[in-house]
Amino acid sequence: MRVRQAHMMMMMMMMMMMMIAASGVCVAGLRVFTAGEVKAVNGTDVRLKCSFQSSSAVRVTGVTVSWSFRPLGPGHEETVFYYHEKPFPPLEGRFRKKVEWAGDVSGRDASIVLRKVPFSFNGTFSCQVKNPPDVHGNVGEVRLRVVTTVLWSSVCGISVTAPAELSAVRGAAVTLSCSFSSSSRVTSLMSVDWTFQPESGGPAKLFFHFASQAYPPDEGHFKGRVQWKGRPSLGDASVQLLNASLTDNGTYTCTVRNPPDFQGSPGQTVLRVTPQRLALAFTDVGVLLVLVLGPSALVTLLLLGRMMCCCQSPAQSHHSPIEVLPG
């Protein structure tokens, strides 16, 4: 009877353990970063920048990207673009032959390019990224304003945007995103400067320069660890930092000049690199599992020990009262 009760108790504890484990599956999270607002002249191309950070390793075959559009005026939300292992542009509707994939999921980039934007593209574009098991996170939004021409106040004033904050695990590659918009056509005079100011303070130092070609650092802390990922014709001035280390924590500034557009505020990103997570993290779920499995394992061992002792003890001799004994 006691053995049966102990078995039932152990089964109940196992069921509780499975329920607790199931409830802890969706702990991971995902963050999506977008420019917020972008202006484009009617009939020109515009890049809608979208980058993401995930607490799980990025699997190229598992990442999905969904872009949708909500018009400024009356109308329903509609799908713009979908990516899963390869791009799937729309086959009909207002965005047919108007959208191209400009991202790189291995570099945590989920951007698209709109070609020859008309006024009907005025509205909000939403970027949603999933990297299983990271499927829960915010949806990035870009408000696109299609205008007839650029106002005089914006001439000679280039607009540069970058994510306010990025996080990375030590040893990983991280894309420092930087996008820009200019009232002038991008020419060979366009240049990009990336500077770094360490978290501990001190003066900012130039570590990357682009002017018709990339000039990565040939000495110092960033030597051999910076790659050019930008596409100036699409308003992209991003770089990728390889093998992130704790000494990379600090503020990264992206400055773009496209004469005669050379005045404007640069884009700044604060990078936070954390030590690599251990394979086994002692989480709340782990604590609960220990509390559940510990007592059940102890009870099981005690019962097994008692059964083994009973089996190995010498059997006592009992005789029937009607049995005839020799002698």
Side-chain angles (χ1 to χ4, degrees):
M1 187 66 179
R2 291 180 178 178
V3 174
R4 183 179 298 176
Q5 290 179 351
H7 179 71
M8 292 179 63
M9 184 180 298
M10 185 169 61
M11 291 295 294
M12 292 178 63
M13 289 182 178
M14 291 293 292
M15 291 179 63
M16 290 174 60
M17 179 186 67
M18 294 175 63
M19 293 175 63
I20 293 172
S23 64
V25 172
C26 300
V27 175
L30 190 144
R31 299 178 65 186
V32 179
F33 306 93
T34 51
E37 182 171 301
V38 174
K39 292 182 182 179
V41 177
N42 178 38
T44 62
D45 299 343
V46 61
R47 178 188 178 94
L48 301 184
K49 186 70 178 176
C50 177
S51 59
F52 64 94
Q53 291 291 325
S54 176
S55 59
S56 299
V58 175
R59 293 188 305 107
V60 177
T61 57
V63 175
T64 60
V65 180
S66 302
W67 279 91
S68 59
F69 170 71
R70 187 171 64 253
L72 185 63
H76 299 286
E77 183 171 331
E78 56 185 289
T79 301
V80 175
F81 195 89
Y82 184 73
Y83 179 94
H84 186 196
E85 295 190 15
K86 66 177 183 178
F88 293 92
L91 300 178
E92 58 183 13
R94 79 176 81 189
F95 295 103
R96 182 176 179 267
K97 294 184 177 180
K98 289 283 190 178
V99 190
E100 293 182 6
W101 174 249
D104 177 15
V105 294
S106 61
R108 296 171 176 81
D109 188 359
S111 306
I112 59 174
V113 172
L114 301 179
R115 297 296 186 187
K116 298 180 180 179
V117 294
F119 291 110
S120 60
F121 284 11
N122 272 307
T124 302
F125 291 80
S126 300
C127 173
Q128 185 175 27
V129 183
K130 295 181 180 179
N131 178 42
D134 279 1
V135 296
H136 299 283
N138 66 302
V139 177
E141 292 189 344
V142 180
R143 293 177 296 278
L144 177 62
R145 293 181 58 188
V146 182
V147 296
T148 304
T149 183
V150 179
L151 298 177
W152 178 256
S153 60
S154 64
V155 175
C156 297
I158 195 166
S159 175
V160 182
T161 57
E165 184 176 336
L166 287 176
S167 59
V169 178
R170 182 173 55 186
V174 57
T175 298
L176 300 173
S177 301
C178 177
S179 58
F180 67 93
S181 59
S182 173
S183 60
S184 299
R185 184 175 62 88
V186 177
T187 66
S188 59
L189 299 177
M190 193 276 295
S191 64
V192 179
D193 286 332
W194 276 94
T195 58
F196 169 68
Q197 184 178 26
E199 190 177 38
S200 57
K205 295 183 179 180
L206 178 70
F207 69 91
F208 188 90
H209 178 70
F210 177 89
S212 297
Q213 69 178 46
Y215 294 90
D218 55 5
E219 61 180 5
H221 177 65
F222 293 102
K223 180 181 179 180
R225 297 200 298 126
V226 183
Q227 294 182 351
W228 173 246
K229 292 293 182 179
R231 281 178 279 188
S233 61
L234 300 178
D236 188 7
S238 305
V239 295
Q240 188 177 54
L241 181 62
L242 305 176
N243 192 23
S245 65
L246 298 181
T247 55
D248 293 338
N249 282 321
T251 302
Y252 293 79
T253 302
C254 172
T255 303
V256 183
R257 300 178 181 89
N258 182 43
D261 282 359
F262 58 88
Q263 294 177 323
S265 300
Q268 288 191 333
T269 298
V270 176
L271 177 63
R272 303 188 185 281
V273 182
T274 57
Q276 190 170 4
R277 294 181 177 85
L278 297 176
L280 292 176
F282 199 66
T283 60
D284 294 339
V285 175
V287 174
L288 290 175
L289 291 179
V290 171
L291 293 177
V292 171
L293 289 178
S296 61
L298 182 61
V299 171
T300 303
L301 290 175
L302 291 175
L303 291 175
L304 289 175
R306 185 172 181 180
M307 292 173 62
M308 292 296 293
C309 291
C310 293
C311 293
Q312 294 178 359
S313 60
Q316 296 180 356
S317 179
H318 297 281
H319 302 284
S320 172
I322 63 174
E323 183 179 2
V324 178
L325 299 176

